[in-house]
Amino acid sequence: MIWIYRILFLPLFLISCPYYFGRMIRRGGYAKDFSHRFGCVPALPPRRAGTHRLWIQAVSVGETEAVVPLLRAFKERGDVEVVLTTTTSTAYKIIREKYADLVTAYACFPMDFLPFSAKAWRRFDPSAAVLMEGELWPEHIAQARSRGVPVFVVNARLSDRSFRRWRASGFIARRLLAQIDFFCAGTRNDFARFRALGVPAEKIALTGNMKFDAAAGDAFGKADAAALKKELGFPPDAPVLLGSSTWPGEEAMLLETFALARERIPDLRLLICPRHAERRAEIVALLEKTAWRWFLRSRTKPEDVPVAADVCVADTTGELRRLTHLAQLAFVGKSLPPNNGGQTPIECAAVGVPAVYGPAMTNFKDVCRSLEDCGAAVKVRDAAAAREKLLALLADPAARAEMSRAAQTWHRGNQGATARVVSFFESVFSGERARGK
């Protein structure tokens, strides 16, 4: 089967090139270390005796942030070398700027084509390969199998869409999944879905979602909040409405909500964090139709931030977790039609920020259901309902406080996945889990 993939890869890649190169140009940042994508990654020295070298692949920002607690745990051990790769330019920038000291080496993930993948494998020479969540790369996995290197999937998950696709692919899915040595499933639902696709129960463990551990982040006190608000031109006591990882159409709803809310809460401020910074021109076009004092965080020097700014567009990378601490209420993006899938509400819950989102949170179905059940978040049917619910909660501090307490309790109850994953790998390192068992 791998040879069919190898034969088809090149023509399919050439057909898709215009789309992917167009997206890379729009998002920017892909020129940095672009040669890595052709397998020209840093060559590492041979592994020291008694050490383990893990190649961890985290596709984008979310997966990269989720794996950080695991990187710290391995760093403390002292006998684990980690090579961390990622696919997107934003995630690669975050690794370089924030987490380079936690790994032995980092690079852009090579294209999943035989010569490029094989070259990277020769240069990294890992003793195990770890994939985050649901991205399974056939050539990458084939290279591991040819070298007798085990492959693990951590935070293993299957969205509704992915599950339908895997189930429809039948024999192909079973063959690829059979190449994986072990799955550390994020939720009971994910565990059940992998079982439904034919993965034996002895090759799956329910370890939980490491994003709960990652979202806790570092301590963030009142002094930190005051300093950050000053950077944004927000008064120290001003309440903040957050648009968390927003997508097209959602900023317009937030601006309408903000305008209505300001009539009753004159010191309210709006913080918009778009999921893709390259959409800034689209958001600016909306803001230019208003009379608000606004600015783009990425394009404004500290001395030029408007005094008592009304709206900040945080079109930056890797700041969402820190900025979430400032919010009294959040709308979670990619959840209003026609957007679909949703962005994670976990970071909001971790710091006790009540969350509102639309009906299309299919990528976080279990998370959202449990948040709603405990009263920490609210799902609405459309933009009008989102506006109505946000306005109601902005006007009701007591209701927000109750949701905040529920969110923090919920988050604490779901932590601990990293410790379980570390325990799993300790059993791997000690030889208790042989390949294929």
Side-chain angles (χ1 to χ4, degrees):
M1 187 181 75
I2 188 61
W3 278 105
I4 297 174
Y5 176 80
R6 289 167 176 169
I7 292 168
L8 293 176
F9 182 92
L10 196 55
L12 291 175
F13 172 74
L14 293 174
I15 291 170
S16 63
C17 266
Y19 168 76
Y20 284 106
F21 277 107
R23 189 169 72 170
M24 289 166 67
I25 291 170
R26 288 193 303 273
R27 294 190 177 179
Y30 279 90
K32 178 68 176 175
D33 293 328
F34 192 73
S35 62
H36 292 182
R37 301 183 188 276
F38 299 97
C40 298
V41 298
L44 300 183
R47 297 191 300 275
R48 303 189 313 273
T51 64
H52 313 276
R53 182 178 294 168
L54 305 187
W55 179 353
I56 301 179
Q57 159 61 4
V59 174
S60 59
V61 174
E63 292 85 357
T64 300
E65 294 284 6
V67 82
V68 169
L70 190 61
L71 300 181
R72 289 181 173 142
F74 287 149
K75 181 81 171 179
E76 290 176 3
R77 282 181 58 99
D79 63 345
V80 182
E81 298 177 2
V82 173
V83 177
L84 180 61
T85 58
T86 189
T87 304
T88 68
S89 61
T90 49
Y92 188 53
K93 181 181 179 182
I94 287 175
I95 293 171
R96 296 196 315 269
E97 294 179 351
K98 296 174 63 177
Y99 305 126
D101 62 325
L102 295 178
V103 298
T104 300
Y106 58 88
C108 299
F109 189 65
M111 284 187 283
D112 202 45
F113 187 42
L114 174 58
F116 308 145
S117 183
K119 186 173 186 178
W121 269 88
R122 288 193 298 271
R123 292 190 169 199
F124 285 156
D125 187 29
S127 55
V130 180
L131 298 170
M132 287 293 292
E133 302 199 354
E135 299 286 343
L136 305 184
W137 304 90
E139 185 61 54
H140 185 62
I141 294 168
Q143 290 296 321
R145 300 298 294 187
S146 69
R147 291 167 167 78
V149 172
V151 181
F152 308 102
V153 182
V154 172
N155 260 29
R157 62 183 293 269
L158 286 170
S159 66
D160 291 351
R161 184 180 182 185
S162 296
F163 181 56
R164 288 194 297 269
R165 287 180 173 179
W166 281 100
R167 191 162 53 180
S169 62
F171 171 74
I172 296 174
R174 289 194 298 273
R175 283 291 301 272
L176 184 58
L177 292 171
Q179 307 301 304
I180 306 298
D181 291 271
F182 206 83
F183 297 82
C184 295
T187 70
R188 293 184 184 280
N189 190 43
D190 295 314
F191 185 102
R193 285 181 168 180
F194 282 111
R195 289 288 292 118
L197 292 173
V199 178
E202 62 269 20
K203 292 180 66 174
I204 317 175
L206 179 59
T207 53
N209 191 337
M210 292 194 301
K211 287 183 177 179
F212 290 103
D213 301 326
D218 300 321
F220 192 91
K222 290 183 178 180
D224 300 300
L228 186 52
K229 278 190 171 181
K230 186 176 181 180
E231 287 182 29
L232 303 182
F234 291 174
D237 297 324
V240 176
L241 172 61
L242 171 68
S244 181
S245 295
T246 55
W247 282 60
E250 295 171 341
E251 295 90 3
M253 181 276 294
L254 284 166
L255 284 167
E256 292 171 7
T257 303
F258 180 62
L260 292 169
R262 277 289 287 259
E263 296 175 5
R264 290 180 289 180
I265 312 172
D267 57 344
L268 181 68
R269 297 300 188 265
L270 177 61
L271 177 56
I272 299 175
C273 299
R275 178 65 179 86
H276 298 119
E278 66 270 18
R279 291 186 50 248
R280 60 176 62 88
E282 178 185 334
I283 300 170
V284 165
L286 293 172
L287 286 164
E288 287 178 337
K289 297 175 184 178
T290 73
W292 304 123
R293 289 162 294 185
W294 59 271
F295 70 101
L296 297 176
R297 184 156 167 80
S298 70
R299 304 294 172 86
T300 308
K301 297 178 180 178
E303 61 270 21
D304 295 331
V305 172
V307 176
D310 299 304
V311 181
C312 170
V313 179
D315 55 333
T316 49
T317 300
E319 281 201 302
L320 179 59
R321 183 182 303 165
R322 195 165 70 107
L323 293 170
T324 301
H325 283 273
L326 303 184
Q328 277 65 55
L329 179 63
F331 171 79
V332 180
K334 203 185 179 184
S335 62
L336 290 178
N339 305 309
N340 187 45
Q343 300 294 156
T344 178
I346 295 174
E347 289 179 340
C348 290
V351 296
V353 177
V356 175
Y357 40 75
M361 295 287 282
T362 53
N363 288 342
F364 301 93
K365 183 179 291 185
D366 291 344
V367 167
C368 289
R369 184 183 296 116
S370 60
L371 277 170
E372 294 155 26
D373 288 346
C374 75
V378 179
K379 179 169 68 176
V380 296
R381 65 182 180 278
D382 54 27
R387 182 172 59 248
E388 181 180 343
K389 177 53 68 173
L390 289 169
L391 288 170
L393 287 171
L394 285 169
D396 192 344
R400 294 201 311 272
E402 184 61 32
M403 291 180 70
S404 177
R405 286 190 290 270
Q408 290 176 301
T409 299
W410 173 87
H411 180 259
R412 286 193 296 269
N414 281 284
Q415 289 182 286
T418 301
R420 289 186 285 272
V421 172
V422 169
S423 178
F424 163 77
F425 275 104
E426 286 175 347
S427 71
V428 172
F429 298 152
S430 65
E432 292 174 17
R433 292 180 182 272
R435 184 183 180 89
K437 293 184 180 179

